[in-house]
């Protein structure tokens, strides 16, 4: 039987949930008696996220095998991360010359791997193609544009993404609407997350032992922040934090999971002790996938600037206050049947959104093909290329 060699590249936290179902679907394909081609897979981790909490724990929880190669690029400026990834990955790709290089999402690893693969004239496929925020100040938008311009196969999560690509002149034969691979992970892990105890998570992940222990039976809000527009701009961060401390936390307990970047900025901006001293705010170390899903399952409202959480809230029906002025995932907004509302860091909009959304019932919504079977469709499409 012919073998098709696939090399996938991951680098940062939001990549891991996307590659886990892809690897499972490859294994399932290889076990299938009808398979006409065997798939050999190599997993490369660039090492952009390297902490146990930001990386290893996701491999364990999601059952991802340890990477075959770790490029160890670590933290740094964008040019440093992209440059180091390209230099290290080029050697691996020259050595292996896979039939396909597969990249996921929109982080620096995605864009660096896409450029390196295409400069070596290798086939490259992008999972989660076609998303556009139209905000060129976001590093992720640049990563998405470059990756999609170079990709040979573009696996999109929804029809809006297809339309974005068509408008940019991508030949329709390269575009495959396969649905959202994040939802494969959500569906596969929902039962396990439901079984977890909320209070166990809170005690295990608490940042400081003296931190607040509010009762959660009357509901709670989950907060995550990490985008430069919110946390690197001291005025924006100060406004958001004051709203959380002085207003939001007076009506609902706030469970705040802290990205390393955010914690650094809170400490540098002199806001850390005020957050820690607020009785209704519980600060947690970064959570693994199951813990985060458990929090989302019962949250009254989620306040976030994460794209992935916006999608998970959409399927779970959790009202989602999206702390961004644009989104590359409009399919999750109320206008498209979702539960997310864009409020940027405009305090008036945030206040109004928080008051309205926390009163809403959960309203689960699945856009077409967000059915938990996206990864097998991707694997099928890649396997079919072996007969071309
Ligand atoms: C990256 C992605 C972003 C994604 C986010 C989710 C890009 C351009 N951005 O942003 O799309 O939503 O991950 O997590 O790729 N740090 C640690 N431990 C780690 C990793 C990072 O302490 O394991 C610290 C470092 O000090 C670093 C900072 O966090 O400077 C930010 O990490 P970085 O990889 O630069 O970008 P993110 O903000 O995480």
């Amino acid at each position: 039987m012919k073998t098709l060699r696939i090399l996938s590249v991951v680098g940062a936290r939001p990549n891991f949930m996307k590659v886990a179902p892809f690897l499972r679907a490859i294994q399932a394909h290889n076990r299938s008696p009808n398979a006409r081609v065997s798939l050999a897979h190599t997993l490369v981790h660039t090492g952009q996220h390297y902490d146990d909490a930001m990386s290893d724990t996701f491999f364990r929880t999601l059952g991802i095998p340890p990477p075959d190669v770790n490029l160890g690029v670590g933290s740094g400026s964008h040019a440093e991360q992209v440059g180091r990834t390209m230099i290290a990955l080029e050697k691996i790709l020259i050595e292996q010359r896979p039939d396909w290089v597969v990249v996921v999402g929109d982080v620096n690893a995605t864009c660096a791997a896409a450029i390196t693969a295409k400069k070596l004239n290798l086939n490259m496929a992008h999972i989660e193609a076609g998303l556009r925020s139209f905000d060129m100040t976001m590093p992720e938008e640049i990563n998405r544009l470059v990756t999609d311009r170079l990709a040979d196969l573009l696996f999109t999560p929804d029809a809006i993404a297809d339309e974005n690509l068509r408008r940019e002149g991508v030949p329709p034969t390269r575009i495959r609407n396969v649905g959202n691979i994040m939802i494969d992970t959500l569906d596969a892990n929902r039962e396990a997350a439901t079984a977890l105890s909320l209070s166990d998570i809170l005690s295990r992940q608490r940042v400081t032992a003296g931190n607040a222990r509010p009762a959660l039976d009357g509901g709670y809000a989950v907060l995550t922040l990490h985008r430069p527009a919110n946390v690197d701009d001291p005025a924006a961060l100060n406004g958001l934090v004051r709203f959380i401390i002085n207003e939001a936390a007076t009506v609902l307990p706030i469970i705040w999971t802290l990205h390393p970047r955010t914690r650094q900025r809170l400490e540098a901006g002199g806001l850390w002790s005020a957050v820690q001293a607020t009785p209704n705010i519980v600060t947690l170390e970064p959570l693994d996938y199951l813990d985060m899903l458990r929090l989302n399952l019962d949250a009254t409202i989620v306040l976030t600037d994460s794209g992935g959480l916006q999608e998970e809230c959409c399927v779970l029906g959790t009202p989602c206050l999206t702390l961004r002025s644009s989104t590359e995932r409009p399919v999750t907004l109320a206008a498209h049947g979702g539960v997310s509302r864009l409020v940027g860091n405009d305090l008036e909009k945030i206040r109004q959104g928080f008051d309205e959304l926390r009163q809403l019932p959960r309203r689960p919504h699945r856009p077409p093909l967000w059915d938990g079977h996206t990864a097998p469709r991707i694997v099928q499409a890649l396997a079919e290329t072996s007969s071309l």
Side-chain angles (χ1 to χ4, degrees):
M1 198 191 308
K2 196 169 166 187
T3 299
L4 192 74
R5 288 171 310 118
I6 300 173
L7 182 147
S8 317
V9 182
V10 292
R13 184 169 64 177
N15 288 165
F16 309 137
M17 308 68 147
K18 294 168 197 164
V19 88
F22 179 60
L23 298 193
R24 262 200 321 280
I26 288 179
Q27 287 162 2
H29 169 96
N30 286 338
R31 282 195 305 269
S32 158
N34 305 324
R36 301 235 291 275
V37 56
S38 140
L39 304 177
H41 186 264
T42 301
L43 182 61
V44 176
H45 189 331
T46 68
Q48 175 178 345
H49 284 177
Y50 46 83
D51 281 350
D52 185 73
M54 297 296 284
S55 178
D56 296 359
T57 177
F58 288 84
F59 278 69
R60 287 193 300 274
T61 307
L62 301 174
I64 308 171
D68 300 292
V69 181
N70 193 319
L71 305 178
V73 304
S75 298
S77 71
H78 287 271
E80 284 166 343
Q81 284 184 348
V82 171
R84 282 192 219 125
T85 302
M86 289 182 66
I87 293 166
L89 182 64
E90 186 182 55
K91 296 188 180 70
I92 311 291
L93 293 183
I94 289 173
E95 219 171 85
Q96 299 210 3
R97 293 213 71 90
D99 298 303
W100 281 98
V101 175
V102 174
V103 300
V104 298
D106 58 14
V107 301
N108 287 335
T110 314
C111 159
I115 300 172
T116 314
K118 289 315 296 174
K119 289 211 173 216
L120 292 170
N121 203 17
L122 296 168
N123 292 316
M124 188 267 291
H126 183 205
I127 300 179
E128 202 185 77
L131 301 189
R132 298 288 181 270
S133 65
F134 303 101
D135 174 358
M136 289 298 285
T137 66
M138 282 180 72
E140 294 86 352
E141 183 74 353
I142 296 166
N143 293 340
R144 290 188 283 260
L145 282 165
V146 171
T147 304
D148 286 346
R149 184 66 187 83
L150 298 177
D152 300 287
L153 262 181
L154 297 98
F155 294 114
T156 64
D158 60 62
I160 303 172
D162 294 352
E163 188 47 39
N164 289 336
L165 293 175
R166 278 197 290 269
R167 220 180 308 114
E168 289 171 14
V170 177
T173 49
R174 292 188 183 186
I175 306 172
R176 307 290 162 86
N177 183 345
V178 289
N180 187 342
I181 200 162
M182 289 278 281
I183 308 309
D184 292 24
T185 301
L186 181 69
D187 285 350
N189 289 284
R190 193 170 177 157
E191 212 178 292
T194 307
L196 296 176
S197 143
L198 206 52
S199 57
D200 283 356
I201 297 171
L202 264 53
S203 3
R204 174 162 41 80
Q205 296 299 117
R206 198 175 289 279
V207 167
T208 46
N211 203 203
R213 289 164 200 268
L216 302 179
D217 24 356
Y220 58 88
V222 174
L223 171 66
T224 85
L225 284 178
H226 77 282
R227 290 203 179 272
N230 288 327
V231 304
D232 290 359
D233 171 354
L237 183 63
N238 194 56
L240 280 169
V241 171
R242 294 289 158 209
F243 167 77
I244 297 298
I245 292 178
N246 298 329
E247 301 182 47
T250 61
V251 291
L252 215 50
I254 310 285
I255 304 180
W256 188 351
T257 71
L258 288 162
H259 187 285
R261 169 198 285 278
T262 310
R263 181 160 179 179
Q264 286 163 9
R265 299 298 187 266
L266 288 171
E267 284 169 353
L271 294 163
W272 182 245
S273 51
V275 169
Q276 291 304 97
T278 307
N280 233 8
I281 299 180
V282 189
T283 46
L284 303 183
E285 302 288 351
L287 296 185
D288 81 5
Y289 183 80
L290 287 181
D291 289 347
M292 193 68 209
L293 181 53
R294 176 66 188 86
L295 289 193
N296 197 344
L297 280 168
D298 275 331
T300 311
I301 180 171
V302 167
L303 295 87
T304 188
D305 57 12
S306 144
L309 258 176
Q310 240 173 281
E311 296 176 334
E312 286 154 355
C313 285
C314 182
V315 167
L316 299 175
T318 320
C320 178
L321 201 58
T322 302
L323 303 167
R324 300 176 49 187
S325 46
S326 62
T327 177
E328 61 290 330
R329 293 162 165 93
V331 74
T332 64
L333 298 177
H336 294 277
V339 283
S340 160
R341 183 188 292 188
L342 283 186
V343 290
N345 45 30
D346 175 330
L347 287 180
E348 200 34 60
K349 284 190 192 159
I350 294 174
R351 186 171 293 120
Q352 193 187 347
F354 182 73
D355 283 341
E356 288 173 18
L357 264 60
R358 71 187 164 83
Q359 323 268 1
L360 294 180
R362 305 184 80 77
R363 196 164 46 75
H365 170 66
R366 283 185 189 249
L369 297 179
W370 289 30
D371 58 0
H373 302 293
T374 291
R377 288 191 277 268
I378 293 173
V379 168
Q380 174 76 23
L382 288 170
E384 279 167 10
T385 64
S386 71
S387 53
L388 295 180

